[in-house]
Amino acid sequence: MSVIYPLACLALMLAPEPQENGQRRDPPARFRILYFPWNTRTGTGLQTVLVDRDTIYRANAGHLHRYRPDLPISSSRTDGWEAFHQALIRVKDLSGEVKHKGYKHRKLPEYQHPCLMEIVPQCSADNLEVARPILHRARTHTVLNKIRLGNVDDPASAPFMLFGLHRDESEKTQLRTALERTPPPLHAVVLDARHRSIDALGAEWYASLEFILAELRNIHGTLPVLAVTDEPYIQHILATTLLPAHHGIPRLESVPTFARHSSRRPGALFEDPPSFVPSGAQAIQSSSFDGTTLKLISQIRTLRKKARDLRDFEADLALRDLQRAVRRCSRLSSGVENLSEFVYQEIDRDDDITHDLMAPYDVRAPIRRLTSSIGSALQLTMHESIGALDERLHAFSQEVRESPPMARLLRDTLKRTFAKSANTIVVLPIPMEAAHAQKALSDDLVMGAEVRNLISEAKLQFFDIRGLQAELEADSARRIQTAILVAPPPSLALEVMALPTLPEHLILLADMDHLRQIGDGAMRLSKLREFESLAARFGRLGRAAAEEIQRHQGHPVPLHLDELDLDDYVPSARERTINLLSAEDDRGGPLIELRTNQGVRIHARPKTKLVLFDREAPTNPFYEKEAQQVKQGDHLCVIGEQFEDMARTLIDLRVPAEEVRAYHEEVRQRISALSGGLSEKARAIYERIQKVGQQPPSHDRLIDWIRVDAYLSEDVRTVRPHAPWRIEDFLAFTRALGISETRARRYWSSIQGTRSRRLSVGLLRHEAYRTVLVKPYSVVVPTEVGALRAFAEQHVDEIANIIVKEIPS
């Protein structure tokens, strides 16, 4: 959304029509804004958007014509515009030549024109230091580095200026000081109310925005406000309550028509979004649970509100982490203990990584932080309530250790679905939970045999949201009859509902609280004219949620929310540990753990190549460096699941599937030499593996690995590899078939690359995007690469600590 201000300034600059033989232009309107929340990286992605040099030159030369002394009416030289126009006419000298030793004798197209980001200055509202002056990139890296532009960037007199207010300055005293220091006039306010920004303000986001607008009115008067958000509930609150109050208007009952929506994706700012006619989702059902989980969350919310009232922010954070852990544990398809064992096996029995991956599911750690905090205001005033919470939490942890509430609900739903639907897809919030669900249900004593059979026939599949999107984009979408969405966070559920093509039958499984939030968001969106094509689908979802809640409560319950819990409204359990280790890494070498300011842990080896970020680089700000060379304070691009969620919509970097097809063909060739049917062939392979001292897999798994005729008939773009999950098992299996180890390891790399559900996703995903980000393009790159870089800048984090762990051989 940082594109809004420079585009507005560009329009104002070009708006006055040329007069007097096409030369003189009247002064543009001054436009100085406050942008909140702001940081030094806000808008850096706009360096890929170039503005025509000749247009800028002609417009500003025309504006300078006003200052000719021989004109009967000339402009005042103290109005701030003369220095601005004199600065921008210098773009005529941009030739593409860069004054940098690495680019000697080269001309780069992005330095033949200014970028959108540098035609207006930006400064911090707190200290009035100019973070990005006019033409800052050109003045740093080209022949313009020798020019002096006077006071063009002076915050007091510049006619165009973006004053950035950092979120850390939202504390009342700091905020008031920053606003008092900001020189008038201000003409407008831009509020970034997207979830990422609102979440940073915490649970008191509404009060923070309300206070900021009140202080602005007191100091700078009532200013126009443009707020941009990506959450329907926040949009409703802004449009009906906060902004009307700012302008002295009574509270509105509904979102006004001027509060428009945009479906443009990042990187496509100047392209009209494609139109589509949605298909599918004609039948939508929902099932839910309540019980201990919701009672716990209710207790936690009450204590969090009290902690905020007491300004005990450490207690609030501990309770927030507890609330998230309770959500994660309750939505599992099998017990927490079973998940832990699954993770331990999948990552080659590494205790450290298992601990990191399971940390988000530890409900005891946050409560320990709360009860052991010395001097905690919440602990002192609410000791009995915390004790009651601890008792209920103990019972909850015993329950989810073996059988979380979602495990029972999912099994009952699958039993009913198997009787009605031939092809079903189960969608879980994150890949690790999707892989675990497949394993847990395949091993289930009651329904495991049926699940394994359906999986082997490709009639039952388990994915996360990205896997669902890939399936629906492929031809196989027509074969999927039912999609079961398991505990989707509200924003994720609404995102799925906006996909162009969905299966005919959708089943939503969630706890009662989440279901109400999903229903509320769906009904809000169904009433907005910009979503007219999806209104019927959103309406069906809202009604399904209302009917399920009524079934539980015994009477109609309004979906309308009085308060939104942001911790529940976003995709939770995002990975906080990114594993960049591979199965072939030398276990005797040191493990390097990088910890970032945002709490992400990255596990790497000394030679692992990482993507770093340098905002002052003349062209591509991304470069690579080995893990052993990085240092504290370096800025790192965090390429994890959250990054790929959006990045894959910009540029899809899948490992080619032809190698997987070649693997399946070789397996077919090898098993053709064995006598008997599939069962006899599987028994022969079992005996060969057992003879060499290896623990053979189950008979059913061997059947799944050799049923290759079915897999070879699938679309090469969507076929999943059917092979062992661990490399030791894979090598034992291929050795039993007579495939050499060298050839088997080559197949293994391809198989890992196409497993969208794998736990060891970090390394291959990181390598794929790293190659694109650091490739020596100039800044003018293919559209999708430019969009990816702009998006990647939102995922840059500072390295706070580096830990080297020596791992014995």
Side-chain angles (χ1 to χ4, degrees), residues 15-247:
E17 293 293 331
Q19 302 175 20
E20 300 173 14
N21 298 323
Q23 294 181 340
R24 181 182 181 276
R25 289 176 183 253
D26 287 335
R30 293 163 64 86
F31 193 42
R32 295 152 58 90
I33 72 162
L34 183 79
Y35 187 110
F36 176 82
W38 176 86
N39 60 58
T40 55
R41 293 196 301 276
T42 299
T44 51
L46 299 183
Q47 69 180 27
T48 61
V49 181
L50 303 183
V51 185
D52 180 59
R53 169 184 73 202
D54 295 333
T55 301
I56 293 292
Y57 171 74
R58 286 194 302 269
N60 285 278
H63 283 300
L64 279 175
H65 199 70
R66 295 195 305 272
Y67 298 93
R68 283 180 51 185
D70 58 324
L71 291 178
I73 300 176
S74 59
S75 294
S76 168
R77 295 184 180 276
T78 61
D79 63 1
W81 282 117
E82 185 177 23
F84 177 81
H85 299 317
Q86 285 177 337
L88 285 187
I89 63 169
R90 299 306 302 266
V91 299
K92 67 181 176 60
D93 297 324
L94 292 176
S95 64
E97 185 177 344
V98 177
K99 296 293 184 181
H100 189 280
K101 62 181 180 181
Y103 297 89
K104 192 174 182 180
H105 306 305
R106 288 182 59 194
K107 290 189 176 182
L108 302 177
E110 62 270 27
Y111 285 102
Q112 293 176 357
H113 305 273
C115 72
L116 189 58
M117 183 177 62
E118 57 183 343
I119 63 172
V120 291
Q122 301 175 22
C123 79
S124 168
D126 180 47
N127 53 29
L128 298 186
E129 291 183 0
V130 179
R132 299 195 191 105
I134 285 280
L135 299 177
H136 58 276
R137 293 178 67 251
R139 287 159 66 180
T140 302
H141 301 299
T142 74
V143 292
L144 299 189
N145 64 350
K146 296 179 181 179
I147 66 171
R148 297 186 180 277
L149 300 179
N151 63 348
V152 65
D153 301 313
D154 182 2
S157 61
F160 288 158
M161 179 62 75
L162 183 151
F163 294 95
L165 186 64
H166 197 276
R167 69 169 182 265
D168 293 340
E169 294 152 8
S170 59
E171 196 277 327
K172 293 185 177 181
T173 304
Q174 289 177 306
L175 173 68
R176 188 176 292 114
T177 301
L179 292 179
E180 288 173 345
R181 188 177 289 135
T182 303
L186 284 177
H187 301 100
V189 180
V190 175
L191 290 181
D192 182 353
R194 292 173 297 174
H195 179 267
R196 177 190 291 268
S197 301
I198 290 294
D199 192 40
L201 294 177
E204 301 297 321
W205 64 272
Y206 182 88
S208 297
L209 294 181
E210 190 176 43
F211 178 76
I212 287 171
L213 294 179
E215 289 299 307
L216 273 167
R217 290 194 297 273
N218 292 336
I219 298 170
H220 292 278
T222 301
L223 300 172
V225 178
L226 172 65
V228 179
T229 185
D230 52 6
E231 299 289 1
Y233 179 85
I234 296 173
Q235 187 238 15
H236 183 86
I237 294 300
L238 291 173
T240 62
T241 306
L242 186 68
L243 297 185
H246 173 66
H247 291 283

Side-chain angles (χ1 to χ4, degrees), residues 29 62-63 74 128 261 312 425 432 459 513 519-520 564 664 683:
H63 283 300
S74 59
L128 298 186
H261 285 73
D312 189 343
I425 186 168
M432 184 173 81
K459 293 181 178 179
D513 189 52
D520 175 79
L564 173 66
H664 285 152
R683 191 174 299 111

Side-chain angles (χ1 to χ4, degrees), residues 461 470-480 715 717-718:
Q461 302 178 80
E471 287 293 301
L472 296 177
E473 289 166 4
D475 292 338
S476 59
R478 293 192 299 269
R479 302 200 309 266
I480 303 171
D715 190 329
R717 296 171 298 173
T718 59

Side-chain angles (χ1 to χ4, degrees), residues 351-360 577 593 601 603 805:
D351 288 314
D352 287 338
I353 299 177
T354 300
H355 179 269
D356 281 335
L357 288 172
M358 291 302 300
T577 300
E593 181 177 282
R601 298 183 180 188
H603 289 157
K805 301 178 181 179

